[in-house]
Amino acid sequence: MDTIILKALQKEPQARYPTADAFGRDIERYLSGEPVLARPESRWYRARKFVLRNKLAVSAAVAVALALAGGAGISLWQAHIAVEEKRRADSEAATARAINDFLRKDLLSQASSATQAGPDRHPDPDIKVRTALDRAAASLTGKFDAQPVVEAAIRQTIGDTYSEMGLPAESEKQIARALELRRRALGAEDKDTLSSAESLAEVYQREGKYDAAEALLNNLLETDRHLGRENSREAIAALHTLAFVADSRADYARAEVIYRRVLEIERRVLTGEDDYTLSTMHNLAMVLSREAKYQEAEELLKKVIGIRQRVLGAEHPNTLMSLNGLGQLYQMEGKYPEAEPRLQAVLEARRHSLGEEHPDTLGSMTDLGLLYLYEGKYTDAEPLLTHAVETSTRVLGEDNPETQRCLGNLGRLYLRAGKLQPSRAALERLLQARERTYGPNSPFTVSTQVLLGEVRLGQGAYSEANPVLRAAVEYYRRHGLGASVIWRRYYAEWLLGESLTGPGRNAEGETMQASAGPKLLQLRESIPPDCGPILDDVRRWTERAALPRQ
């Protein structure tokens, strides 16, 4: 409107409207939304006026145009996704073909006498899977330099196989390399990379490398949170392994909290018969049994066993694991007649299905040997425990947790059988291994110190018993213990008092025993039968202390 008025007021006649009628018509054009003569008719100006006059028609046209453009965009996006899916499918197919070729040509062909023959070896008609796997693994180097994803997949497969065979050291080498290759080729957040990381954490846990396992698992869980998959199977598996690490560290309270959290997630997102859920129920039951929560533990185990026998079969490794767990639970409760047939049956089944050298079979030997020890059947326990130690040392290595458990139980057996020198040798060897594996400030190291101190006391070596017992007592006082295992502190204090009073009267030792003795008697229900002889000493000491002094 300002432009129309300014045109009408122009000083130059040729710049003004030629007539009043022209001036009026321009005002009418303005009021009707048509282009006016009072301004240059730019394309943008004409278009804007056209839109104002035809709002509905233009809006419809724009909507159609946007729909067409959006459809084209969606089509392009879908095409991009299709291309990416095809690329990944092609990559996975190529990887599968490479794995199949490798397994066929490099692994399974080891059975061929022609493949086996060479200048430095002769064909073996009874070649073992382990030998074939070792040779196949050795042939990988340099073979897939241009295909890191393929090499990673093959190494992961070999590592998983080693793990299933109970060979964690060999498994670690392969899976660690697979993880390195996948991180470099696929990125840290790729599902295959994360799967390798979780597998490696499990191997670390089996080897007793708990700090390394926790570092990997915490990183995995942080990645799962970042990707919004806290309830995924991958996150559940990482939490499950983290709980198992806490259990292995004897941090039972923390393990119970994590297992209950995992079980709550699994019950929301999985079925009650999913093996993830059953494994969590089994492991929670074992933690509860170590916390002396026997009734809940037994109910969980029986439920798991019933489902696994029906779904997996009686001799499936997972079914046997839960049956073995029930036998261990009965042994902890002192129900030896119920424990013995179950542990015997599991050992025979594992020997048949897994072989004599598998870690699960060695674990069964140790569990049954420990039960025989508690029952006082020393002649039955000794060959089992001796064989378990020798085989585990050879197959798994001196520092493997299963080897150490076997060695500790053999030391206990010799102690209770009165064979103090063999017991001392076994426990001193065990203490060195645990100091290497866990360091001096570990519950495993400290429990070995207490047992070794007891053996040295039995030999009358009071001055040698004192330092290991004092170190144990200081650790327990500094770190504390849960209610279910607090007896261990008083047990160590009692033995330390004995190391002081054994050579003669000692005020510190007498005070320590006067304090620890009554507490041990109060806690006798939570003390395992293996410690029964010490409780007898405590009772006799308490009775003597109650007598009036002469």
Side-chain angles (χ1 to χ4, degrees):
M1 195 64 184
D2 290 340
T3 306
I4 293 173
I5 294 172
L6 288 173
K7 183 174 178 65
L9 297 175
Q10 288 289 334
K11 293 181 179 180
E12 297 82 4
Q14 67 273 19
R16 295 195 296 266
Y17 289 103
T19 63
D21 184 57
F23 176 40
R25 284 198 301 273
D26 220 10
I27 292 175
E28 289 175 355
R29 290 190 189 95
Y30 167 73
L31 293 175
S32 61
E34 297 178 356
V36 299
L37 301 176
R39 58 174 301 164
E41 295 183 359
S42 66
R43 291 179 181 177
W44 169 245
Y45 176 72
R46 287 179 174 275
R48 185 162 59 88
K49 287 299 181 180
F50 178 80
V51 169
L52 290 173
R53 286 198 314 274
N54 303 277
K55 287 182 181 179
L56 291 176
V58 170
S59 296
V62 168
V64 171
L66 287 175
L68 291 172
I74 291 171
S75 297
L76 288 172
W77 176 71
Q78 289 175 334
H80 172 72
I81 292 298
V83 168
E84 283 298 306
E85 288 180 350
K86 185 177 185 305
R87 184 194 62 77
R88 185 173 184 87
D90 289 345
S91 174
E92 290 177 353
T95 301
R97 283 195 300 271
I99 293 172
N100 287 335
D101 288 345
F102 179 82
L103 294 176
R104 180 171 53 84
K105 296 176 182 178
D106 294 81
L107 179 60
L108 298 178
S109 66
Q110 294 292 331
S112 163
S113 58
T115 303
Q116 292 185 57
D120 57 346
R121 67 184 185 215
H122 300 287
D124 178 2
D126 299 317
I127 187 170
K128 294 183 178 180
V129 173
R130 165 71 188 277
T131 304
L133 204 60
D134 288 345
R135 292 177 183 174
S139 72
L140 269 173
T141 304
K143 194 164 192 171
F144 296 100
D145 287 348
Q147 298 172 284
V149 175
V150 173
E151 181 179 344
I154 294 172
R155 288 192 183 276
Q156 181 71 46
T157 301
I158 293 176
D160 290 341
T161 306
Y162 274 132
S163 182
E164 290 298 320
M165 293 172 67
L167 300 168
E170 289 80 358
S171 176
E172 180 191 337
K173 294 174 188 175
Q174 300 300 325
I175 296 177
R177 177 61 177 157
L179 175 59
E180 178 187 349
L181 290 168
R182 282 174 166 172
R183 276 177 175 161
R184 193 183 308 151
L186 303 174
E189 294 184 353
D190 183 85
K191 66 180 184 66
D192 290 338
T193 306
L194 298 176
S195 176
S196 288
E198 207 281 326
S199 296
L200 185 58
E202 287 186 14
V203 172
Y204 283 152
Q205 184 277 323
R206 291 176 188 172
E207 293 181 293
K209 298 178 179 179
Y210 301 129
D211 289 341
E214 285 208 39
L216 267 179
L217 292 166
N218 287 329
N219 184 63
L220 277 171
L221 290 168
E222 181 58 37
T223 302
D224 286 330
R225 279 191 289 271
H226 171 67
L227 297 175
R229 12 178 262 181
E230 295 93 333
N231 295 336
S232 66
R233 279 185 176 270
E234 292 80 5
I236 290 171
L239 275 172
H240 195 278
T241 307
L242 188 64
F244 205 65
V245 170
D247 185 7
S248 301
R249 288 185 185 273
D251 190 352
Y252 304 133
R254 180 170 174 248
E256 180 185 344
V257 168
I258 300 174
Y259 277 134
R260 289 192 186 279
R261 176 185 167 194
V262 175
L263 192 57
E264 188 273 328
I265 296 172
E266 289 170 337
R267 284 173 171 165
R268 277 193 288 108
V269 302
L270 304 175
T271 67
E273 296 189 353
D274 187 281
D275 205 56
Y276 270 85
T277 307
L278 297 175
S279 294
T280 303
M281 291 168 66
H282 170 94
N283 289 335
L284 174 59
M286 298 314 298
V287 168
L288 292 171
S289 66
R290 286 186 270 277
E291 295 180 293
K293 299 176 181 179
Y294 299 127
Q295 184 175 351
E296 184 181 359
E298 185 173 345
E299 290 172 358
L300 276 172
L301 280 174
K302 286 183 174 179
K303 184 174 181 180
V304 171
I305 290 168
I307 296 173
R308 281 182 162 167
Q309 285 178 332
R310 175 168 49 80
V311 175
L312 303 175
E315 292 200 357
H316 190 280
N318 290 350
T319 307
L320 295 176
M321 178 175 64
S322 295
L323 285 167
N324 196 76
L326 186 60
Q328 289 177 301
L329 170 63
Y330 287 144
Q331 173 254 301
M332 286 184 233
E333 288 185 277
K335 298 178 179 178
Y336 302 144
E338 290 90 340
E340 187 172 321
R342 287 172 172 81
L343 293 178
Q344 287 172 338
V346 172
L347 175 57
E348 289 309 308
R350 282 176 166 172
R351 276 175 165 158
H352 178 261
S353 60
L354 301 175
E356 195 78 10
E357 296 182 352
H358 193 280
D360 288 353
T361 307
L362 297 174
S364 274
M365 290 181 194
T366 304
D367 293 335
L368 184 57
L370 186 61
L371 175 64
Y372 287 152
L373 164 61
Y374 288 167
E375 291 179 301
K377 298 178 180 179
Y378 301 144
T379 55
D380 292 327
E382 186 169 350
L384 272 177
L385 294 175
T386 302
H387 180 70
V389 168
E390 292 172 351
T391 306
S392 187
T393 302
R394 174 170 50 81
V395 175
L396 303 176
E398 185 86 357
D399 294 341
N400 184 272
E402 188 58 46
T403 303
Q404 293 177 11
R405 191 168 76 96
C406 296
L407 193 54
N409 287 335
L410 183 61
R412 288 185 178 89
L413 169 66
Y414 285 144
L415 171 61
R416 299 306 170 222
K419 299 178 180 181
L420 297 182
Q421 191 52 43
S423 177
R424 177 169 177 167
L427 294 172
E428 286 177 346
R429 173 184 160 192
L430 174 62
L431 181 59
Q432 292 174 0
R434 284 188 161 166
E435 285 176 340
R436 285 194 304 270
T437 304
Y438 306 109
N441 294 314
S442 157
F444 295 106
T445 304
V446 171
S447 65
T448 308
Q449 289 172 329
V450 174
L451 199 55
L452 179 58
E454 185 180 346
V455 173
R456 289 174 176 174
L457 286 176
Q459 293 180 310
Y462 300 107
S463 61
E464 296 176 75
N466 184 274
V468 291
L469 291 169
R470 190 172 292 280
V473 167
E474 289 174 358
Y475 173 88
Y476 287 142
R477 288 177 175 175
R478 187 167 62 251
H479 291 86
L481 287 168
S484 63
V485 290
I486 188 65
W487 64 268
R488 293 178 182 175
R489 169 186 165 178
Y490 303 127
Y491 186 57
E493 288 179 352
W494 172 267
L495 293 174
L496 178 58
E498 181 69 21
S499 75
L500 294 168
T501 59
R505 295 287 300 275
N506 179 284
E508 181 189 0
E510 290 179 352
T511 301
M512 197 168 289
Q513 288 187 307
S515 172
K519 291 172 182 173
L520 282 172
L521 294 178
Q522 291 172 5
L523 296 167
R524 59 184 174 273
E525 294 300 324
S526 61
I527 298 175
D530 185 39
C531 301
I534 289 296
L535 286 179
D536 293 338
D537 291 343
V538 171
R539 290 189 189 94
R540 286 191 291 270
W541 188 94
T542 305
E543 290 168 1
R544 288 198 305 271
L547 295 174
R549 290 184 177 273
Q550 299 297 324

